Amino acid sequence: MTGQLEVQQLVGGYGKLAVFRELSLSVKSGEVLAVLGPNGAGKTTLMMTLAGLLPRLSGEVLLDGKRMPSGKPAAANKAGVVLVPDDRALFTTLTVRENIEIARAPSEKKTGVNDVIEMFPALAKRLELRAGSLSGGEQQMLAMARGIVQRPKVFLIDEMSMGLAPIIVESLLPIVRQIADRSNSAVVLVEQHVGLALEVADDAMVLVHGNVMLYGPASELRADTGKLEAAYLGT
């Protein structure tokens, strides 16, 4: 499965209020783009716009060269765009197994619970537990497993580390790299742990007050901390 995401001069926000402006990016199959920036920069709004949950104000979103409709989440998901939101959006009264099974499209027979659980061994012994009884880290694993079972072309992961201890984040972020490598998905990762995100990403973008302040290979940004800090400060 392949999927190349192209975003051209995208403007997004709420109503007539633009939260981010004239944003362009490109993520090829098997690549990870880390979207970095301070709180309030517009990162979550960007992810919701890419997923079709918010209509774009202007600009284009292309998947494999095909223009995606604006503000149509069902159409985006059908095309292969899958979002793991920052609140994880789990069915807390359903079991781990049921959460994964319900996410799988009825026509999808190739990918099942066992296929995704091997990436999250901590969930293997919790398949029959309710999702609401899991720890924060386990819930995040389940949210990502629910996304993987949909076989995404474009995998959007918003604030994966929200509310998690740093040691848990260190164990989860490398899985993002595995997802891109194994599934050949184009992955867009919004993350506050800058150093860890840059280790697993191919490219990175710094968004500040709705503007792209820095965009380039993750290895270069990781090597030039001064430029990265300046971008965060908007200078």
Side-chain angles (χ1 to χ4, degrees), residues 100 116-117 120 123 140-150:
I100 296 173
V116 295
I117 286 299
F120 306 99
L123 295 179
Q140 185 61 62
M141 294 178 197
L142 177 55
M144 293 172 67
R146 278 170 37 112
I148 296 169
V149 81
Q150 297 176 61

Side-chain angles (χ1 to χ4, degrees), residues 95-130:
T95 67
V96 170
R97 183 187 300 277
E98 289 168 338
N99 266 274
I100 296 173
E101 292 283 7
I102 203 171
R104 183 176 61 179
S107 60
E108 180 55 66
K109 303 297 183 183
K110 295 181 180 179
T111 305
V113 174
N114 293 336
D115 298 305
V116 295
I117 286 299
E118 69 176 15
M119 298 185 67
F120 306 99
L123 295 179
K125 296 181 179 180
R126 292 165 171 76
L127 289 175
E128 309 310 326
L129 295 181
R130 291 185 178 183

Side-chain angles (χ1 to χ4, degrees), residues 175-194:
I175 296 176
V176 175
R177 181 74 260 168
Q178 294 179 35
I179 292 171
D181 293 340
R182 292 188 185 186
S183 68
N184 210 30
S185 300
V187 179
V188 182
L189 171 71
V190 168
E191 183 51 58
Q192 292 290 353
H193 288 71
V194 175

Side-chain angles (χ1 to χ4, degrees), residues 10-22:
L10 186 64
V11 179
Y14 303 88
K16 296 182 179 180
L17 175 64
V19 175
F20 62 85
R21 293 162 288 277
E22 297 185 356

